[in-house]
PDB file of all heavy atoms in Angstrom:
ATOM      1  N   VAL A 122    -166.789  31.926  -8.726  1.00  0.00           N
ATOM      2  CA  VAL A 122    -166.354  31.300  -7.542  1.00  0.00           C
ATOM      3  C   VAL A 122    -167.066  29.890  -7.394  1.00  0.00           C
ATOM      4  O   VAL A 122    -166.376  28.754  -7.074  1.00  0.00           O
ATOM      5  CB  VAL A 122    -166.373  32.057  -6.119  1.00  0.00           C
ATOM      6  CG1 VAL A 122    -166.005  31.241  -5.018  1.00  0.00           C
ATOM      7  CG2 VAL A 122    -165.442  33.246  -6.379  1.00  0.00           C
ATOM      8  N   VAL A 123    -168.291  29.808  -7.465  1.00  0.00           N
ATOM      9  CA  VAL A 123    -169.104  28.577  -7.368  1.00  0.00           C
ATOM     10  C   VAL A 123    -168.556  27.603  -8.444  1.00  0.00           C
ATOM     11  O   VAL A 123    -168.315  26.370  -8.178  1.00  0.00           O
ATOM     12  CB  VAL A 123    -170.579  28.847  -7.423  1.00  0.00           C
ATOM     13  CG1 VAL A 123    -171.206  27.500  -7.622  1.00  0.00           C
ATOM     14  CG2 VAL A 123    -171.000  29.494  -6.171  1.00  0.00           C
ATOM     15  N   LYS A 124    -168.483  28.125  -9.706  1.00  0.00           N
ATOM     16  CA  LYS A 124    -168.010  27.252 -10.799  1.00  0.00           C
ATOM     17  C   LYS A 124    -166.664  26.759 -10.462  1.00  0.00           C
ATOM     18  O   LYS A 124    -166.365  25.512 -10.702  1.00  0.00           O
ATOM     19  CB  LYS A 124    -168.087  27.993 -12.121  1.00  0.00           C
ATOM     20  CG  LYS A 124    -167.687  27.157 -13.321  1.00  0.00           C
ATOM     21  CD  LYS A 124    -167.736  27.981 -14.610  1.00  0.00           C
ATOM     22  CE  LYS A 124    -169.008  27.764 -15.335  1.00  0.00           C
ATOM     23  NZ  LYS A 124    -168.927  28.339 -16.699  1.00  0.00           N
ATOM     24  N   LEU A 125    -165.734  27.654 -10.097  1.00  0.00           N
ATOM     25  CA  LEU A 125    -164.369  27.260  -9.843  1.00  0.00           C
ATOM     26  C   LEU A 125    -164.266  26.198  -8.674  1.00  0.00           C
ATOM     27  O   LEU A 125    -163.566  25.182  -8.810  1.00  0.00           O
ATOM     28  CB  LEU A 125    -163.641  28.460  -9.269  1.00  0.00           C
ATOM     29  CG  LEU A 125    -162.054  28.406  -8.961  1.00  0.00           C
ATOM     30  CD1 LEU A 125    -161.367  29.728  -9.194  1.00  0.00           C
ATOM     31  CD2 LEU A 125    -161.776  27.851  -7.623  1.00  0.00           C
ATOM     32  N   THR A 126    -165.175  26.296  -7.652  1.00  0.00           N
ATOM     33  CA  THR A 126    -165.246  25.451  -6.514  1.00  0.00           C
ATOM     34  C   THR A 126    -165.705  24.019  -7.008  1.00  0.00           C
ATOM     35  O   THR A 126    -165.182  23.051  -6.554  1.00  0.00           O
ATOM     36  CB  THR A 126    -165.968  25.998  -5.433  1.00  0.00           C
ATOM     37  OG1 THR A 126    -165.414  27.198  -5.091  1.00  0.00           O
ATOM     38  CG2 THR A 126    -166.226  24.915  -4.343  1.00  0.00           C
ATOM     39  N   LYS A 127    -166.696  24.082  -7.794  1.00  0.00           N
ATOM     40  CA  LYS A 127    -167.380  22.737  -8.220  1.00  0.00           C
ATOM     41  C   LYS A 127    -166.385  21.994  -9.167  1.00  0.00           C
ATOM     42  O   LYS A 127    -166.248  20.752  -9.020  1.00  0.00           O
ATOM     43  CB  LYS A 127    -168.716  22.939  -8.844  1.00  0.00           C
ATOM     44  CG  LYS A 127    -169.715  23.307  -7.779  1.00  0.00           C
ATOM     45  CD  LYS A 127    -171.158  23.547  -8.412  1.00  0.00           C
ATOM     46  CE  LYS A 127    -172.093  23.784  -7.386  1.00  0.00           C
ATOM     47  NZ  LYS A 127    -173.491  23.843  -7.952  1.00  0.00           N
ATOM     48  N   ASP A 128    -165.897  22.653 -10.296  1.00  0.00           N
ATOM     49  CA  ASP A 128    -165.048  22.009 -11.261  1.00  0.00           C
ATOM     50  C   ASP A 128    -164.208  23.133 -12.034  1.00  0.00           C
ATOM     51  O   ASP A 128    -164.857  23.671 -12.970  1.00  0.00           O
ATOM     52  CB  ASP A 128    -165.852  21.214 -12.145  1.00  0.00           C
ATOM     53  CG  ASP A 128    -165.103  20.475 -13.207  1.00  0.00           C
ATOM     54  OD1 ASP A 128    -163.835  20.658 -13.100  1.00  0.00           O
ATOM     55  OD2 ASP A 128    -165.620  19.721 -13.993  1.00  0.00           O
ATOM     56  N   ALA A 129    -163.210  23.451 -11.501  1.00  0.00           N
ATOM     57  CA  ALA A 129    -162.377  24.571 -12.158  1.00  0.00           C
ATOM     58  C   ALA A 129    -162.066  24.326 -13.614  1.00  0.00           C
ATOM     59  O   ALA A 129    -161.865  25.343 -14.294  1.00  0.00           O
ATOM     60  CB  ALA A 129    -161.003  24.732 -11.401  1.00  0.00           C
ATOM     61  N   THR A 130    -162.072  23.001 -14.126  1.00  0.00           N
ATOM     62  CA  THR A 130    -161.890  22.843 -15.515  1.00  0.00           C
ATOM     63  C   THR A 130    -162.956  23.488 -16.359  1.00  0.00           C
ATOM     64  O   THR A 130    -162.911  23.511 -17.644  1.00  0.00           O
ATOM     65  CB  THR A 130    -161.747  21.328 -15.824  1.00  0.00           C
ATOM     66  OG1 THR A 130    -162.843  20.668 -15.595  1.00  0.00           O
ATOM     67  CG2 THR A 130    -160.560  20.749 -14.942  1.00  0.00           C
ATOM     68  N   GLN A 131    -164.195  23.720 -15.712  1.00  0.00           N
ATOM     69  CA  GLN A 131    -165.178  24.267 -16.509  1.00  0.00           C
ATOM     70  C   GLN A 131    -165.170  25.852 -16.669  1.00  0.00           C
ATOM     71  O   GLN A 131    -166.021  26.357 -17.329  1.00  0.00           O
ATOM     72  CB  GLN A 131    -166.580  23.846 -15.824  1.00  0.00           C
ATOM     73  CG  GLN A 131    -166.706  22.416 -15.834  1.00  0.00           C
ATOM     74  CD  GLN A 131    -166.907  21.813 -17.238  1.00  0.00           C
ATOM     75  OE1 GLN A 131    -167.672  22.240 -17.998  1.00  0.00           O
ATOM     76  NE2 GLN A 131    -165.978  20.742 -17.402  1.00  0.00           N
ATOM     77  N   CYS A 132    -164.184  26.442 -15.978  1.00  0.00           N
ATOM     78  CA  CYS A 132    -164.004  27.835 -16.112  1.00  0.00           C
ATOM     79  C   CYS A 132    -163.502  28.193 -17.511  1.00  0.00           C
ATOM     80  O   CYS A 132    -162.535  27.461 -17.894  1.00  0.00           O
ATOM     81  CB  CYS A 132    -163.113  28.458 -14.997  1.00  0.00           C
ATOM     82  SG  CYS A 132    -163.821  28.330 -13.362  1.00  0.00           S
TER      83      CYS A 132
END
Side-chain angles (χ1 to χ4, degrees):
V122 168
V123 167
K124 184 183 263 192
L125 183 153
T126 298
K127 288 183 177 181
D128 183 356
T130 66
Q131 297 302 305
C132 293

